[in-house]
Amino acid sequence: MAFRLRLSVWLSTAVFLIFLAALLVETVAVIINRPEPGLTMDTLVARLPGAIYLYAIWSCRSAARRVQKGARFGDEMPALLARIGLAIAVGALIELAVGPWLLILLNGWPGPIFTYDPATLTLGAVGALLLVLAGLWRQAAGMADELDGFV
């Protein structure tokens, strides 16, 4: 078990750092290759979901660290599922609807009011399901505690 926890911390840290580096390199490349160099709201709006997804990865890492330090796995999971689910659902919502609306407000009409991306729609649905699972896990833990009180 200790090996798996160390491996999960290491892997989540590696994925976080790789994702962060890719996001930074892509953002810098966009900034440098623009006709007028600098950070624009378009760039920030386009990169915001990636930053939110980074939070979800970091949440996995911190939960694995807490379990590694002695926290109960069953106590950590509902909060972890809720944080990941919320981050993924919010990131997908920004990518699909909020981002296009912000760009319309910034750049003016015409522009898309909603983007259709099956992968992002799937990601949003998974995030929503993780939120539901977190609630069910909390409910089950409460029932287990109540049953333990009878014994």
Side-chain angles (χ1 to χ4, degrees):
M1 174 89 164
F3 171 74
R4 288 183 182 172
L5 285 173
R6 276 186 274 130
L7 181 63
S8 68
V9 169
W10 184 85
L11 285 174
S12 58
T13 303
V15 168
F16 176 83
L17 291 174
I18 290 168
F19 192 9
L20 179 64
L23 189 65
L24 290 174
V25 166
E26 181 187 29
T27 304
V28 169
V30 167
I31 292 170
I32 290 173
N33 290 325
R34 290 183 49 82
E36 68 270 352
L39 191 62
T40 64
M41 281 305 278
D42 292 357
T43 304
L44 287 176
V45 168
R47 303 306 176 266
L48 183 59
I52 294 172
Y53 298 148
L54 274 173
Y55 170 75
I57 295 170
W58 190 257
S59 294
C60 291
R61 182 197 179 280
S62 23
R65 291 283 296 165
R66 284 193 298 275
V67 170
Q68 190 179 28
K69 290 181 180 179
R72 286 184 33 199
F73 181 78
D75 295 339
E76 288 294 321
M77 283 310 292
L80 174 64
L81 290 176
R83 282 192 301 267
I84 292 172
L86 186 62
I88 290 173
V90 167
L93 181 66
I94 289 172
E95 209 167 327
L96 293 171
V98 175
W101 277 98
L102 282 175
L103 291 177
I104 286 174
L105 288 174
L106 293 171
N107 300 333
W109 194 264
I113 58 172
F114 184 77
T115 58
Y116 175 76
D117 180 20
T120 306
L121 286 168
T122 304
L123 200 58
V126 168
L129 287 173
L130 286 175
L131 285 170
V132 170
L133 284 175
L136 290 174
W137 197 310
R138 275 192 201 96
Q139 185 179 7
M143 289 176 176
D145 289 342
E146 186 177 337
L147 289 174
D148 286 342
F150 289 125
V151 175

